[in-house]
Amino acid sequence: MLEFWKTVHGECPMERRTRIKDALAGQPGAELTVRGWARTVRSGKGVTFIALNDGSCFASLQVVAEPVLANYEELARLGTGSALRVTGALVASPAAGQAVELAAREVEIVGPADESYPLQKKRHSFEYLRTIAHLRPRTNTFGAVFRVRSMLAQAIHRFFAERGFLYVHTPIITANDCEGAGELFRVTTLDMARPPLADGEVDYSGDFFGQATGLTVSGQLEGELCALAFGDIYTFGPTFRAENSNTPRHAAEFWMVEPEMAFADLMDDAALAEEFFRYLCRFVLDNCREDLEFFDSHVEKGLVERIGRLADSAFAMMEYGDAIRELQKATVTFEYPVEWGLDLQTEHERYLTEQVTGGPLFVVNYPREIKAFYMRQNDDGKTVAAMDLLVPKVGEIIGGSQREERLDLITARMGEVGIAPEGLWWYLDSRRWGSCPHAGFGLGFERLIMYLTGMENIRDVIPFPRTPRHAEF
RNA sequence: UCCCCAGUAGCUCAGUCGGUAGAGCAGGCGGCUGUUAACCGCCUUGUCCGUGGUUCGAGUCCGCGCUGGGGAGCCA
């Protein structure tokens, strides 16, 4: 390929760049070329310092430019944000603050940035940075967030791969409108100005798929089908909810991890969730240390210690019924009533995980009336084998259950809640032949990132977030 | 969707009792032998979110709208 390039262009492509992460770990004396963006430019009388960052790590490399450089005058007036190529020698830094710095021999201004560049070398509010989401990856905070996001995504695959779970790609376009997990975004090629009608309703029979379709709200049902073939599977992909939710914890487009295990019950499910969660805590401590230290000092004090405790300790578990009793004997007053049969409100969940256990807490075996049709009915006739993992600040981060594997019981339950079995014939077939106990859960990927970085708004852990009225970028 | 709060210079914010605005940063000029979001001096910058009203006079008080944030619901 290189030979081909040379015959066409007559020269080599860009010489290999050294990533700043590697340059900072290098030994003095090394000659190298780095490329990146100026974070700050400080000019003294006879020397200019440029903090150069290429996103490969949190830290910037200090480039030292002296007046002997041909374009020194230009460099001394360089604006924050400029893209540069710097070739020079790595030298031990005579000043405190960094072990090594790059003594520039040649600096090319690849892409200048003038004073109208919106990112300044000062603190900006997260709200403002959301309005310039196209530039915010170049900031300290968002650089760290998106590096951690990438590392966590890979850690998730590694966790499941190490345990023999099959990675399944479930459909993004779906005709399931009865999963009961939120409003669907419609997917259609019909003419929205003049849709075909039948009996006053939109007639989707002529639509692209011959029926009404939308974007998936969960890959669980298809995941279950694959679990009943491969044993242990997981999905990891985008999920869409058209709910008009305006909170720091909800987005219209987010990523969800959904493992599903055959021949497993609720306790197996909770055990997997706990092992998974603690693995990810340990992973970021071991692999994202520099970014975590930044979050610890600038976003949430004590973050590293909190995650460290989490990685080492067992999670608490509580029956729903015990949770109700715990709330009823609480001395604080709640806005919403506490009574067996009612769902736990955010204030209740926070009290349990923040005041009662002071850490992650599984609440299990909820009343059947407040949970989804596919959850396995317990022998008491009142509860289902559901579990929620609650964590301080973020609230519910995992929701899961053992699934109802008995055809007669799940069919009866669908009838009770008004879901037509015809639309889910394929799902019910899994209970018709070779059915077995199985269980799984859904983890909100962004909520995990929030919990492990201390970031408090989901819009700040997604590069280009989609929320009501926001689909820019 | 409901409740609460906010919107002032490019950015972060102050603005008292109603008397048409100010600081830091950014930017410009100058200074400084090595700085650490450098520092020092001087200079420039406004549809006070929009709209209607009260008033001699509104950034300030009131109504409506828009935008943002927080809380709630829904949930991951």
Side-chain angles (χ1 to χ4, degrees):
Chain A
M1 193 190 86
L2 197 56
E3 289 309 309
F4 171 74
W5 180 282
K6 284 176 182 170
T7 61
V8 175
H9 297 272
E11 58 185 38
C12 282
M14 289 188 176
E15 81 270 35
R16 189 172 176 79
R17 80 182 160 95
T18 301
R19 288 212 166 75
I20 284 173
K21 180 182 183 175
D22 299 323
L24 288 169
Q27 292 301 313
E31 182 83 5
L32 46 84
T33 295
V34 295
R35 296 169 205 264
W37 295 268
R39 283 289 175 81
T40 68
V41 179
R42 296 181 294 274
S43 283
K45 186 164 194 172
V47 65
T48 289
F49 298 98
I50 302 167
L52 196 71
N53 189 287
D54 69 355
S56 61
C57 62
F58 184 85
S60 297
L61 175 66
Q62 172 155 288
V63 171
V64 185
E66 299 201 330
V68 294
L69 295 174
N71 56 351
Y72 181 77
E73 285 302 309
E74 213 180 341
L75 294 179
R77 285 183 284 103
L78 212 53
T80 298
S82 304
L84 306 176
R85 174 184 62 81
V86 185
T87 299
L90 206 60
V91 297
S93 179
Q98 59 282 314
V100 292
E101 59 191 23
L102 190 64
R105 184 162 48 73
E106 189 189 347
V107 179
E108 180 194 350
I109 300 171
V110 178
D114 66 16
E115 68 284 353
S116 63
Y117 182 57
L119 288 172
Q120 297 172 10
K121 49 182 179 182
K122 55 164 283 192
R123 194 186 173 283
H124 292 286
S125 67
F126 289 151
E127 290 83 0
Y128 171 66
L129 290 171
R130 275 172 218 150
T131 69
I132 52 168
H134 56 306
L135 298 172
R136 68 179 184 169
R138 300 188 197 178
T139 64
N140 281 338
T141 301
F142 290 93
V145 166
F146 299 135
R147 272 189 300 276
V148 169
R149 185 181 172 112
S150 172
M151 292 296 279
L152 275 171
Q154 295 177 39
I156 284 164
H157 286 300
R158 210 173 87 172
F159 174 87
F160 287 117
E162 284 171 1
R163 283 157 186 78
F165 280 61
L166 188 94
Y167 177 32
V168 176
H169 294 135
T170 50
I172 288 171
I173 299 173
T174 178
N176 303 346
D177 59 357
C178 52
E179 290 174 11
E183 293 293 313
L184 255 67
F185 282 105
R186 189 65 71 199
V187 171
T188 182
T189 56
L190 293 177
D191 179 358
M192 296 308 284
R194 283 164 301 162
L197 299 177
D199 300 329
E201 303 272 296
V202 175
D203 179 14
Y204 289 99
S205 64
D207 201 353
F208 187 89
F209 295 105
Q211 60 183 313
T213 52
L215 297 178
T216 183
V217 297
S218 167
Q220 181 198 316
L221 301 189
E222 290 90 349
E224 283 185 49
L225 305 181
C226 291
L228 295 185
F230 300 102
D232 298 325
I233 65 97
Y234 71 105
T235 72
F236 183 17
T239 309
F240 308 88
R241 304 272 168 93
E243 298 288 352
N244 188 16
S245 295
N246 293 288
T247 85
R249 303 179 304 283
H250 291 86
E253 176 179 324
F254 62 99
W255 282 56
M256 190 151 63
V257 183
E258 295 179 288
E260 191 76 32
M261 298 179 291
F263 308 109
D265 64 14
L266 187 67
M267 290 304 107
D268 296 320
D269 202 28
L272 179 74
E274 179 174 336
E275 188 187 0
F276 180 50
F277 206 82
R278 287 166 56 188
Y279 177 96
L280 296 172
C281 291
R282 174 54 57 195
F283 186 90
V284 292
L285 287 173
D286 292 345
N287 296 280
C288 307
R289 197 64 187 211
E290 191 182 20
D291 290 324
L292 285 199
E293 297 288 355
F294 170 78
F295 294 127
D296 194 292
S297 60
H298 285 83
V299 176
E300 182 195 333
K301 301 265 182 275
L303 176 85
V304 169
E305 193 197 332
R306 175 169 66 80
I307 298 174
R309 272 203 311 273
L310 216 61
D312 296 331
S313 62
F315 294 0
M317 181 176 284
M318 194 179 281
E319 292 272 334
Y320 166 86
D322 292 332
I324 293 296
R325 276 186 287 278
E326 198 69 51
L327 291 167
Q328 283 171 337
K329 75 182 189 193
T331 53
V332 300
T333 51
F334 296 114
E335 188 184 347
Y336 289 86
V338 175
E339 189 183 319
W340 201 99
L342 299 180
D343 206 354
L344 299 179
Q345 302 294 317
T346 298
E347 58 173 348
H348 306 140
E349 296 180 340
R350 289 192 60 173
Y351 177 83
L352 291 169
T353 183
E354 290 170 11
Q355 304 301 318
V356 178
T357 60
L361 165 70
F362 286 107
V363 177
V364 300
N365 295 327
Y366 283 76
R368 64 200 288 262
E369 280 72 25
I370 60 175
K371 288 293 182 183
F373 76 93
Y374 51 74
M375 296 187 179
R376 192 178 197 277
Q377 297 176 48
N378 288 325
D379 293 342
D380 61 12
K382 297 189 302 184
T383 62
V384 290
M387 66 164 195
D388 284 351
L389 178 61
L390 312 177
V391 295
K393 285 176 63 176
V394 174
E396 185 183 338
I397 198 165
I398 283 176
S401 66
Q402 184 175 340
R403 320 306 188 186
E404 180 55 79
E405 83 281 12
R406 296 162 294 189
L407 182 63
D408 51 341
L409 287 171
I410 197 167
T411 307
R413 189 74 188 122
M414 288 171 76
E416 286 172 23
V417 298
I419 294 174
E422 296 78 33
L424 289 178
W425 62 270
W426 45 273
Y427 182 68
L428 293 174
D429 269 4
S430 67
R431 273 66 172 170
R432 192 162 279 121
W433 301 296
S435 187
C436 73
H438 59 290
F441 63 80
L443 167 85
F445 185 49
E446 283 77 12
R447 290 185 180 178
L448 173 77
I449 300 168
M450 289 165 71
Y451 194 62
L452 295 181
T453 60
M455 296 296 289
E456 294 189 332
N457 196 309
I458 196 167
R459 301 171 180 98
D460 297 329
V461 299
I462 301 174
F464 306 103
R466 272 77 180 96
T467 54
R469 300 185 307 283
H470 292 281
E472 184 117 55
F473 307 109

